[in-house]
Amino acid sequence: MPDARDASPYDALLLLSFGGPEGPDDVVPFLENVTRGRGIPKERLKEVGQHYFLFGGVSPINDQNRALLDALRKDFAEHGLDLPVYWGNRNWAPYLTDTLREMVRDGRRRILVLATSAYASYSGCRQYRENLADALAALEAEGLELPKVDKLRHYFNHPGFLEPMIDGVLRSLDELPEDVRDGAHLAFSTHSIPTASADTSGPVEEHGDGGAYVKQHLDVAQQIADAVRERTGVDHPWQLVYQSRSGAPHIPWLEPDICDHLDERHAAGVPAVVIAPIGFVSDHMEVLYDLDTEAKARAEELGLPMRRSATVGADPRFAAAIRELVTERAAVERGQDVTPCALGALGASHNLCPVGCCPARAPRPVAAGADSTYA
């Protein structure tokens, strides 16, 4: 195992996330950032932002990232890992460029990035790498010395990510009425993306029907279902489902949608459902609205008992997993032989995104990969 107290050659960790509004006046400007370049009228953005206004215009994601920052700093300190942790967002304050500028001015020269997305996809990986390249370009234009930036590998099958989700499903099953518990169906939910994007997710050799994105989610779902069977003695049927579609109706996206799936399962006579949002690191707005609001309302209309299990959030086991991923990657950079920690059938993901991995429709500069603009 790598030395748990040695992060060299890295001198900082950057938590890189999506960002979200923190008040009603932030909602439309935030959505303008998210949709920049698409020419969407402000009135349409106000309509899209209604689910934020239902929650006072506040997305929970920023507070959840603050909690994760606290958990990481606590875990690092308890294990003697002297590595400062910073936080930057793609679409809202603290903005990535501002955070990178702060890190450079603090003397950070070798930065490791933790993205709050566990799986391979354009929006969950490459787009963050594009954002990093944009931020580095901005610092370069300011005449600042650029740091070397690397990104942690995908952690979907790390035990510190899986175990909290397994426990969440078990708790949700326990919350169901006893007479429907053993017959409950498990719906493993993740963000729907265009099928064309899914098919080209991951390295080129993994492209095809659903690509790495679907394959990785299916692997996680199977591991959780297997663990639930081993711990309860009940073999619950399950399916991977999707939520939060936002594209034009004529463009194919991954299906089935969670609400359609609830209809279908109810019609098939399923007595109860546990929804497990395995595609998300925290209980952010898409979980609160699409699952806790829309899917919950649909289940109530159907008279279908439903529980929604927790995401990993700031679970101490997840913080420990990040520490292990940091020291693992650091040992690799120091030239040590390392056996990466990963469960399931797929093994550990790549440390360096290869050329052709999760391609964009129009090529853009990227960082932290084999095709990096900034070495």
Side-chain angles (χ1 to χ4, degrees), residues 280-355:
F280 307 95
V281 169
S282 64
D283 288 4
H284 53 54
M285 184 57 71
E286 287 171 318
V287 175
L288 294 187
Y289 184 76
D290 296 329
L291 298 184
D292 293 356
T293 305
E294 286 195 328
K296 180 182 178 183
R298 180 65 63 85
E300 289 175 348
E301 290 173 9
L302 296 170
L304 180 65
M306 185 272 280
R307 298 292 184 274
R308 195 269 293 175
S309 67
T311 52
V312 298
D315 190 289
R317 291 168 291 184
F318 182 47
I322 299 307
R323 170 174 44 81
E324 291 170 6
L325 288 165
V326 166
T327 55
E328 171 197 297
R329 179 62 182 274
V332 169
E333 293 299 309
R334 295 194 301 268
Q336 297 176 220
D337 289 331
V338 176
T339 301
C341 185
L343 301 177
L346 300 181
S349 187
H350 47 261
N351 277 323
L352 194 67
C353 291
V355 175

Side-chain angles (χ1 to χ4, degrees), residues 88-342:
N89 287 325
R90 174 189 291 175
N91 298 301
W92 201 248
Y95 288 104
L96 170 59
T97 301
D98 296 335
T99 300
L100 270 183
R101 184 184 299 109
E102 176 188 0
M103 297 176 81
V104 168
R105 289 176 174 167
D106 286 348
R108 312 304 175 191
R109 294 294 176 261
R110 193 77 189 270
I111 297 169
L112 196 51
V113 176
L114 162 65
T116 53
S117 174
Y119 302 86
S121 69
Y122 169 74
S123 57
C125 184
R126 188 177 185 89
Q127 191 170 11
Y128 282 113
R129 294 174 55 221
E130 292 175 349
N131 300 147
L132 285 166
D134 291 343
L136 291 169
L139 299 189
E140 186 176 46
E142 296 171 11
L144 295 176
E145 181 180 351
L146 298 187
K148 178 172 172 51
V149 178
D150 292 324
K151 179 178 174 293
L152 284 174
R153 65 177 172 89
H154 302 302
Y155 45 84
F156 64 92
N157 55 3
H158 194 287
F161 186 67
L162 287 166
E163 283 294 334
M165 292 192 292
I166 293 167
D167 286 350
V169 171
L170 291 170
R171 283 194 299 270
S172 293
L173 286 168
D174 285 342
E175 292 169 1
L176 287 170
E178 189 173 353
D179 61 333
V180 299
R181 186 178 304 149
D182 286 353
H185 172 84
L186 307 181
F188 294 106
S189 185
T190 190
H191 205 301
S192 184
I193 61 176
T195 56
S197 179
D199 292 346
T200 56
S201 58
V204 172
E205 62 269 19
E206 296 184 33
H207 292 180
D209 189 14
Y213 186 74
V214 172
K215 187 183 300 183
Q216 290 169 0
H217 281 87
L218 288 173
D219 186 62
V220 167
Q222 184 68 66
Q223 291 183 75
I224 296 174
D226 288 348
V228 169
R229 183 185 65 249
E230 291 166 4
R231 299 180 196 187
T232 65
V234 179
D235 191 7
H236 292 272
W238 63 270
Q239 186 168 338
L240 180 62
V241 299
Y242 302 93
Q243 63 176 87
S244 312
R245 173 182 173 140
S246 59
H250 68 280
I251 298 175
W253 282 51
L254 293 173
E255 297 177 337
D257 175 77
I258 178 60
C259 289
D260 294 339
H261 183 65
L262 292 176
D263 290 342
E264 188 272 332
R265 289 294 81 203
H266 178 257
V270 165
V273 173
V274 168
I275 302 176
I278 62 173
F280 307 95
V281 169
S282 64
D283 288 4
H284 53 54
M285 184 57 71
E286 287 171 318
V287 175
L288 294 187
Y289 184 76
D290 296 329
L291 298 184
D292 293 356
T293 305
E294 286 195 328
K296 180 182 178 183
R298 180 65 63 85
E300 289 175 348
E301 290 173 9
L302 296 170
L304 180 65
M306 185 272 280
R307 298 292 184 274
R308 195 269 293 175
S309 67
T311 52
V312 298
D315 190 289
R317 291 168 291 184
F318 182 47
I322 299 307
R323 170 174 44 81
E324 291 170 6
L325 288 165
V326 166
T327 55
E328 171 197 297
R329 179 62 182 274
V332 169
E333 293 299 309
R334 295 194 301 268
Q336 297 176 220
D337 289 331
V338 176
T339 301
C341 185

